[in-house]
Amino acid sequence: FILIYLGIILRVQGDYWHSGSKREAKDLISKMALTARGFVVFDLFEHDIYNEYTLKDKMYKICGVRL
């Protein structure tokens, strides 16, 4: 998700496709490129979505509002 006017990108990534050192390195390079363009990038992984407490914590870091 891109919140262009806020300069925020929220990347929702599956555990299967975004695990392993090779894939994690590519994800980091992508995140660095977006950050260099002035975006704040948040990564939300599949396992975060399934864990209510982790999801709430991550959303607080993004929005600044407790759910």
Side-chain angles (χ1 to χ4, degrees), residues 22-67:
K22 188 174 184 179
R23 185 65 228 175
E24 289 173 9
K26 288 181 180 180
D27 287 340
L28 180 60
I29 291 168
S30 170
K31 185 174 186 173
M32 289 171 53
L34 293 167
T35 302
R37 291 190 172 138
F39 290 102
V40 176
V41 181
F42 293 96
D43 290 324
L44 191 63
F45 288 88
E46 180 181 349
H47 63 270
D48 296 328
I49 294 170
Y50 290 120
N51 182 323
E52 177 184 355
Y53 299 105
T54 303
L55 179 60
K56 285 182 179 181
D57 184 53
K58 295 251 182 181
M59 294 309 292
Y60 176 72
K61 289 178 183 174
I62 295 168
C63 304
V65 176
R66 290 267 179 221
L67 300 175

